[in-house]
Amino acid sequence: DDGFTVAGRRFTSRLIVGTGKYASFEQTRDAIAASGAEIVTVAVRRVNISDPDQPMLMDYVDPKAVTYLPNTAGCFTADDALRTLRLAREAGGWDLVKLEVLGDKKTLYPDMRETLKAARTLLDEGFQVMVYTSDDPILCKELEDMGCAAIMPLGAPIGSGLGLQNKVNIRLIVEQSRVPVLVDAGVGTASDAAVAMELGCDGVLMNTAIAEARDPVRMARAMKLAVEAGRDAYLAGRMKTKRYADPSSPLGGLI
Amino acid sequence: DDGFTVAGRRFTSRLIVGTGKYASFEQTRDAIAASGAEIVTVAVRRVNISDPDQPMLMDYVDPKAVTYLPNTAGCFTADDALRTLRLAREAGGWDLVKLEVLGDKKTLYPDMRETLKAARTLLDEGFQVMVYTSDDPILCKELEDMGCAAIMPLGAPIGSGLGLQNKVNIRLIVEQSRVPVLVDAGVGTASDAAVAMELGCDGVLMNTAIAEARDPVRMARAMKLAVEAGRDAYLAGRMKTKRYADPSSPLGGLI
Amino acid sequence: DDGFTVAGRRFTSRLIVGTGKYASFEQTRDAIAASGAEIVTVAVRRVNISDPDQPMLMDYVDPKAVTYLPNTAGCFTADDALRTLRLAREAGGWDLVKLEVLGDKKTLYPDMRETLKAARTLLDEGFQVMVYTSDDPILCKELEDMGCAAIMPLGAPIGSGLGLQNKVNIRLIVEQSRVPVLVDAGVGTASDAAVAMELGCDGVLMNTAIAEARDPVRMARAMKLAVEAGRDAYLAGRMKTKRYADPSSPLGGLI
Amino acid sequence: DDGFTVAGRRFTSRLIVGTGKYASFEQTRDAIAASGAEIVTVAVRRVNISDPDQPMLMDYVDPKAVTYLPNTAGCFTADDALRTLRLAREAGGWDLVKLEVLGDKKTLYPDMRETLKAARTLLDEGFQVMVYTSDDPILCKELEDMGCAAIMPLGAPIGSGLGLQNKVNIRLIVEQSRVPVLVDAGVGTASDAAVAMELGCDGVLMNTAIAEARDPVRMARAMKLAVEAGRDAYLAGRMKTKRYADPSSPLGGLI
């Protein structure tokens, strides 16, 4: 068994997927099934989870079969995020949540001051907080020390598909953390997800890379396989690379 | 069915693996099983395929269950390669072969003049030739026009584990070829294999990345998954990347 | 004239260099001369600037010829940093300072909470603050809005020589800032400095890349040229790259 | 003096520039002056070097002040290239020439078989041959052994501006060669040229990166500085990079 544990719950799949940006709830359902995800994020402010007169995500994705992880997508202040998650807890009883507080609409980069503030309050109120964060190892440590259940640094801006920009920071975060580290945002294609796992991350969260592929269901399957591949490669211990530059040259050890 | 056809034979797995460098024939067998490979390369000059008094690969890897692809590893001239493959045909009846003629012992880079010469003779003699080659699109086209059954450009030097160095050339070769293109050599870890497949290659061949991993069997499984992941991602059509540099800046479109 | 202005002072050279890690004050002096730097950072807690009985940096690098920029290297709290810079102001009258508050000894990554706190106090006390920061665009904006005179994101960890890890963030910071942006830390060789400038940064600060080169004086000259080259290339507006993947393939626009 | 010698002639500048694609001869002249180049390539089939009734390059770029290096741009066979260079020798007395035989119009990748054939004939006829080549170390060695005066591997396709794709091959070629190695084609901006020089190349040749910049003259100056910067950085011996991954992890030594 190579699962991972977050907030005391055990999961086998290391791929978490979002539920936004799909063409239909049918496609959402099929992509989630293909991804093998056991956790799906739900943007409380965007997805209908309470009005039974409208089509509801629950009718397509069974909350008893997969864990719903309410998130605060679209929140730009700690207060907004708190309000959103309190409502989610009242409405659905969720207390395992994903916190994200964004800094601006252009980059969707996290606002770390507001994130730290909101995380502290949520933890005080008994939530279990998985937290979207910059790849700043010091702030990630602070979030862990505070009691967050998982650290979720971005690989690249949300929705960019640019792949992991800073492997050094992601690896530093992995080495220092005792709670799960999941790369959240930035994955564009399967190899990006594999790279995250090869760095030793516990999992990957994505939405756009699947939802905006030409064939989301097939891409969901690709991502499932890529996360498993990257995990296995990490555990298998990769071969050493061979360097070709004459060790006595200024490039010895670099190429 | 998403298999591929080479020399009239249909295969489901797009991962081809070597049989050298393992600790034992048992490990070779287990790694091949985990990889799901339907084709394995056999270095005719190195692996015992004819002396029944010594342990034989065939006792562990059933040539009726997987396709043996004799190769010319260790050959540095066309003549050596020809001699080796003629012997293989006599000994085992193999006429689907992998040709590699190496240029020097340090880099194991292909000698393209000798490769072209040997390929021509082998084709004249009725062999079906899968050919290890540099990533030179013009020479790859020449090999295809000559009648080679598969084009196998290196991603990086044999045994280096450095990953694909020149994606531009690999993609040019994929776009121009009507026979299968397989990246052969250079893969170091799972994401490297996924990258090759995401470029549209038909398959990947590797040996060291599996055999020299700390846990070869687990790495073999990682590679199986990575090749499938990369293939699915290619077919799924990845999302567009989002660029952030102001289009009016000198960097518009680049970042 | 293509100089830049920080805190009301005009400089021609866009390369700022440190004064630590050299074999001798003679070498420090020669490297600074070769670099063409008009600003040098001085680690107030490490470099002797006050005990006339010991060799003093001032005897080799004339503070009337180059601008001394006191920094807080080695400070891990806002309080330490404040104390250090208050002493520097008393001792040398410096009020243009470089603030850096480090998060831990292993990575030397900035502690952004302490950095923000220290920056606010320094600005209140009338200092002009050039600030070492993570490459978090939101926090960089906060530092600018607070009144900092220059934003100095790291390219990679201090002393790593790994080159710019996250070009996307650096470019986002450049586009949003109206005060100078200087990449501080991470440069390993000349092309790294050129890359920073090509992204539109106003300058680059480095120490280890010069001091730990085999020939620091020659490397200082290399860096001078590289910064000028990168600046000119940015202003000249680079050619568009040509993409080779068939636009109708899943890779159109990517390769 | 850090010049380099090719075919017995000594040059100080390590930047060679083309003379095509400019808006006017005036711009050509100014860009060459800014580049500091002492050698310029001239496409014998495209540039007017013989009809005195039309504007002539010689009227703007003095062949006594800079070395004209006739090239075979636009030739797709050995015969075409030979014919072109024989004409050039008759017309201008040039026997130091740059040979390029292209494989197709889409990629402008060299046709190595035709290149080898033409090189042999040119050498037999007493030309001194600088040769545009793929980055295949074995064929580069063959060209050197044959007597070519300089080896000029492409960094990326002509006119692509994609930067060096395969640093491993370029470095292998540098380490094995006793004649000058110059990267020819692929440079897009200043840092690309610096990277080539940091690998130990003797020089860089470019045309499009300068001619198609928004401000060609400023880009020419950028390239001059970048080549000098990269050369100095190579000679200075860069600092070692610091790796952060725990050496006991599967990533030890890689990140």
Side-chain angles (χ1 to χ4, degrees), chain C residues 64-144:
Chain C
K64 287 196 286 289
V66 301
T67 297
Y68 272 44
L69 182 68
N71 73 22
T72 56
C75 294
F76 290 84
T77 65
D79 282 348
D80 267 5
L82 293 172
R83 204 173 308 124
T84 300
L85 292 175
R86 286 170 188 148
L87 278 171
R89 180 150 67 174
E90 280 168 37
W94 295 296
D95 56 7
L96 177 62
V97 297
K98 182 189 149 195
L99 171 66
E100 60 181 75
V101 188
L102 305 180
D104 68 32
K105 291 190 177 176
K106 179 185 172 197
T107 65
L108 305 180
Y109 204 86
D111 183 323
M112 291 308 295
R113 290 157 307 159
E114 295 292 301
T115 298
L116 287 160
K117 201 193 307 176
R120 205 175 303 270
T121 305
L122 289 169
L123 291 165
D124 285 347
E125 297 183 4
F127 284 94
Q128 288 176 307
V129 181
M130 301 173 71
V131 58
Y132 172 62
T133 170
S134 73
D135 62 2
D136 175 333
I138 306 299
L139 296 181
C140 286
K141 191 73 174 61
E142 169 79 2
L143 288 164
E144 178 180 353

Side-chain angles (χ1 to χ4, degrees), chain C residues 2-213:
Chain C
D2 177 45
F4 78 111
T5 299
V6 61
R9 311 182 198 191
R10 188 83 181 158
F11 298 96
T12 302
S13 166
R14 290 169 178 274
L15 175 59
I16 302 180
V17 299
T19 51
K21 302 192 181 183
Y22 287 97
S24 65
F25 278 135
E26 284 80 4
Q27 196 186 54
T28 312
R29 174 195 62 207
D30 295 347
I32 290 170
S35 76
E38 296 166 349
I39 305 176
V40 299
T41 56
V42 180
V44 178
R45 297 165 63 134
R46 291 185 186 145
V47 173
N48 175 27
I49 51 173
S50 54
D51 178 356
D53 294 341
Q54 298 294 322
M56 291 181 76
L57 182 61
M58 279 90 160
D59 298 335
Y60 295 84
V61 179
D62 180 357
K64 287 196 286 289
V66 301
T67 297
Y68 272 44
L69 182 68
N71 73 22
T72 56
C75 294
F76 290 84
T77 65
D79 282 348
D80 267 5
L82 293 172
R83 204 173 308 124
T84 300
L85 292 175
R86 286 170 188 148
L87 278 171
R89 180 150 67 174
E90 280 168 37
W94 295 296
D95 56 7
L96 177 62
V97 297
K98 182 189 149 195
L99 171 66
E100 60 181 75
V101 188
L102 305 180
D104 68 32
K105 291 190 177 176
K106 179 185 172 197
T107 65
L108 305 180
Y109 204 86
D111 183 323
M112 291 308 295
R113 290 157 307 159
E114 295 292 301
T115 298
L116 287 160
K117 201 193 307 176
R120 205 175 303 270
T121 305
L122 289 169
L123 291 165
D124 285 347
E125 297 183 4
F127 284 94
Q128 288 176 307
V129 181
M130 301 173 71
V131 58
Y132 172 62
T133 170
S134 73
D135 62 2
D136 175 333
I138 306 299
L139 296 181
C140 286
K141 191 73 174 61
E142 169 79 2
L143 288 164
E144 178 180 353
D145 289 346
M146 200 183 277
C148 288
I151 304 299
M152 307 177 76
L154 82 171
I158 293 176
S160 70
L162 289 166
L164 266 73
Q165 298 298 302
N166 193 329
K167 296 183 194 177
V168 173
N169 277 10
I170 298 293
R171 180 62 197 169
L172 288 173
I173 295 165
V174 166
E175 289 200 3
Q176 79 185 1
S177 302
R178 279 152 313 183
V179 296
V181 175
L182 302 100
V183 162
D184 179 358
V187 163
T189 188
S191 54
D192 297 334
V195 166
M197 297 305 296
E198 288 165 356
L199 289 170
C201 291
D202 296 278
V204 180
L205 190 159
M206 67 185 70
N207 187 4
T208 314
I210 296 176
E212 293 191 358

Side-chain angles (χ1 to χ4, degrees), chain B residues 167-168 171-172 175 198-200 233-241 243-247 249-255, chain C residues 167-168 171-172 175 198-200 233-235 237-241 243-247 249-255:
Chain B
K167 296 184 194 177
V168 173
R171 180 64 199 168
L172 288 172
E175 289 200 3
E198 287 165 357
L199 288 170
Y234 180 67
L235 293 176
R238 60 161 292 158
M239 67 178 286
K240 299 230 176 313
T241 55
R243 302 292 163 157
Y244 287 86
D246 175 353
S249 91
L251 298 166
L254 295 176
I255 287 174
Chain C
K167 296 183 194 177
V168 173
R171 180 62 197 169
L172 288 173
E175 289 200 3
E198 288 165 356
L199 289 170
Y234 180 68
L235 294 175
R238 61 160 292 158
M239 67 179 287
K240 299 231 175 313
T241 55
R243 303 292 163 157
Y244 286 87
D246 175 352
S249 91
L251 298 165
L254 295 176
I255 287 174

